[in-house]
Amino acid sequence: MASEKKTSPVSDVGAWAMNVISSVGIIMANKQLMSAKGYSFTFATTLTGFHFAVTALVGFVSNSTGYTASKHVPMWELLWFSIVANMSITGMNLSLMLNSVGFYQISKLSMIPVVCVMEWILHSKQYSKEVKASVVVVVIGVGVCTVTDVKVNAKGFICACVAVLATSLQQISIGSLQKKYSIGAFELLSKTAPIQALSLLILGPFIDYYLSGRLISDYMKTISSSAIIFILISCSLAVFCNISQYLCIGRFSAVSFQVLGHMKTVAVLTLGWLLFDSELTFKNIAGMLVAVAGMVIYSWAVEVEKAAAKSLPHAKLSLTEEELNLLKDGLEKGPIKDLEFGESN
């Protein structure tokens, strides 16, 4: 079993910063690209296929030049992961189309408790009272500043459930695969991106036609050079966004990624107010302040858990030394009968 690599606080902050900046940037670029006031490129699933195609190209160049090494991961696991990831993307798009924005936001917020339950079931992971309380504070804060009208129907509810379960499972799987095969974030992404790109580029146009009633082939006949530039900007930001997501989940956990990831929601709301004249009410501001407070509490609670976890090995070590000293004294004094050994550490 390979030993876990230690990461410095600076690199951890860098990974988070890359994820927040690239995610917010890609949302701003896509808003301009897809909005009616922008370029009306309403083919979200196909655009995601473009994102993974560019990511796969970057990974291929990196492997070919020897900058990164390719490690073996069974094809069935890569296919399984890609199916789950594509279900997440498609489910989110369908959920946004079939449900109100309010219910869509609630479904996204539900990912935090769903990830917690999944990690408890799959990995027997336990959470302290402080972590649970901070998660509740974050959910309430983000809910206050984002959830408005809540309308749902049977199809929309099913799509939202599929999206939440698939996204939660995908994020847990990223960390599990990296640990299981001792593979880096970018190396794993390089293996999954081509599969996701191929499948999304094949299925994407049909899904987008169902969602928007428009064919991408018709749009591409009249596409402007400015729209192409924004597509390239979106794809470039997606490379950093995808890499940073794998980096963050590989370094931390899916729960931490979800909780601190709500910083992006706060940032998007703020930038939307600054750049796109979006309305920012007292309710939005109050919710953002509560969410930020919850994130600070969560960070503190995680540090408390880490400190408690670090103290356990030292306690075991001193106990083991004591047992060894007793055993040594017994051997020096004479033969020992009926000696029982505990669990090996």
Side-chain angles (χ1 to χ4, degrees):
M1 183 175 177
S3 59
E4 294 183 6
K5 294 181 179 179
K6 295 182 179 180
T7 58
S8 67
V10 175
S11 61
D12 291 344
V13 171
W16 277 118
M18 184 194 297
N19 183 257
V20 172
I21 293 171
S22 60
S23 297
V24 173
I26 198 172
I27 289 172
M28 295 296 111
N30 288 350
K31 186 169 185 177
Q32 178 65 25
L33 183 62
M34 295 182 176
S35 66
K37 295 180 180 179
Y39 300 102
S40 298
F41 187 89
T42 56
F43 312 100
T45 308
T46 306
L47 180 61
T48 306
F50 292 158
H51 291 168
F52 280 108
V54 174
T55 303
L57 178 62
V58 172
F60 175 77
V61 172
S62 179
N63 289 331
S64 300
T65 56
Y67 183 74
T68 54
S70 179
K71 292 187 178 180
H72 175 70
V73 178
M75 180 57 68
W76 72 267
E77 293 216 49
L78 295 177
L79 288 173
W80 174 83
F81 175 83
S82 299
I83 291 171
V84 171
N86 288 348
M87 285 176 64
S88 166
I89 295 166
T90 305
M92 282 296 180
N93 288 340
L94 289 171
S95 176
L96 184 58
M97 182 193 77
L98 297 172
N99 299 315
S100 66
V101 176
F103 185 78
Y104 175 75
Q105 291 294 343
I106 286 179
S107 67
K108 288 181 69 176
L109 289 174
S110 69
M111 285 182 202
I112 296 178
V114 169
V115 168
C116 290
V117 172
M118 278 191 170
E119 287 198 322
W120 173 64
I121 294 173
L122 298 175
H123 302 141
S124 301
K125 189 169 183 177
Q126 303 294 326
Y127 298 93
S128 66
K129 293 180 180 178
E130 292 82 3
V131 169
K132 292 175 183 177
S134 64
V135 166
V136 172
V137 173
V138 172
V139 170
I140 291 173
V142 177
V144 167
C145 65
T146 59
V147 175
T148 52
D149 61 310
V150 179
K151 296 177 182 177
V152 64
N153 53 74
K155 288 183 180 179
F157 180 76
I158 292 172
C159 289
C161 289
V162 171
V164 169
L165 292 172
T167 303
S168 302
L169 186 58
Q170 175 208 9
Q171 293 180 356
I172 293 172
S173 299
I174 290 173
S176 299
L177 288 173
Q178 287 187 52
K179 291 176 182 177
K180 184 176 180 180
Y181 296 104
S182 299
I183 188 171
F186 187 66
E187 287 79 4
L188 178 60
L189 181 60
S190 299
K191 289 182 175 296
T192 58
I195 302 173
Q196 288 185 254
L198 182 61
S199 55
L200 288 173
L201 289 176
I202 292 173
L203 298 175
F206 299 100
I207 296 171
D208 291 330
Y209 179 74
Y210 173 74
L211 294 173
S212 64
R214 300 172 64 196
L215 290 171
I216 190 172
S217 57
D218 294 336
Y219 181 88
M220 296 303 286
K221 293 175 182 177
T222 58
I223 190 170
S224 65
S225 57
S226 299
I228 293 174
I229 290 173
F230 266 89
I231 290 174
L232 292 175
I233 291 173
S234 179
C235 290
S236 300
L237 288 169
V239 174
F240 292 101
C241 186
N242 288 330
I243 293 172
S244 60
Q245 179 183 357
Y246 279 57
L247 279 173
C248 289
I249 298 178
R251 290 165 181 262
F252 309 105
S253 69
V255 176
S256 295
F257 183 76
Q258 281 291 331
V259 171
L260 297 182
H262 283 303
M263 288 175 60
K264 293 178 282 189
T265 303
V266 174
V268 167
L269 285 173
T270 305
L271 287 175
W273 172 62
L274 292 173
L275 302 178
F276 297 99
D277 297 324
S278 299
E279 185 181 3
L280 194 63
T281 63
F282 174 77
K283 174 174 169 284
N284 297 136
I285 296 172
M288 283 190 274
L289 291 175
V290 172
V292 171
M295 292 169 198
V296 172
I297 297 171
Y298 179 81
S299 300
W300 167 78
V302 169
E303 290 302 318
V304 170
E305 277 195 343
K306 287 180 180 178
K310 286 180 180 178
S311 65
L312 289 176
H314 293 296
K316 288 183 179 180
L317 181 59
S318 60
L319 179 63
T320 304
E321 289 175 351
E322 183 180 352
E323 290 175 344
L324 288 173
N325 288 331
L326 289 173
L327 178 60
K328 183 179 178 182
D329 292 340
L331 288 172
E332 289 176 351
K333 292 178 181 178
I336 300 175
K337 297 181 180 179
D338 299 328
L339 180 66
E340 293 185 4
F341 292 90
E343 280 188 11
S344 59
N345 293 306

